[in-house]
Amino acid sequence: MIEEKYHRIVIDGTPYYREYYMGSGRYGDDLYTEEELVELLLEDVIEDTIEVDPHKVECAIRRIANHDDRNLIRNYLLFLERLMEN
């Protein structure tokens, strides 16, 4: 869980972000653009990168001997794809 809090500080119409320590009422040293803050926060919460190669997945499914098992896996993948669209 992210424990840092940030305040938006607008300078000449441009928003910047600075870490704010609730307990002490003090600010951190760095001033971030929105893009920099998003990247910083993503680094803290993204644990791993998983790459999916649809071609390799389809090849693996074709190697499943049982026809019903193959269909079950294909239907489950279709279900997951629909979930990702929503």
Side-chain angles (χ1 to χ4, degrees), residues 57-69:
V57 171
E58 185 56 39
C59 288
I61 291 172
R62 277 192 244 126
R63 288 193 300 268
I64 297 172
N66 184 293
H67 177 72
D68 291 335
D69 289 346

Side-chain angles (χ1 to χ4, degrees), residues 8 17 31 34 38 43 51 69 72 85:
R8 180 181 297 135
Y17 300 85
L31 196 62
E34 185 170 336
V38 168
E43 287 175 6
E51 293 187 33
D69 289 346
L72 176 69
E85 291 173 1

Side-chain angles (χ1 to χ4, degrees), residues 45-54 56-57 77 80 84:
V45 297
I46 302 297
E47 184 175 313
D48 198 1
T49 299
I50 300 170
E51 293 187 33
V52 177
D53 182 340
K56 287 182 180 179
V57 171
L77 288 173
L80 293 175
M84 291 181 63

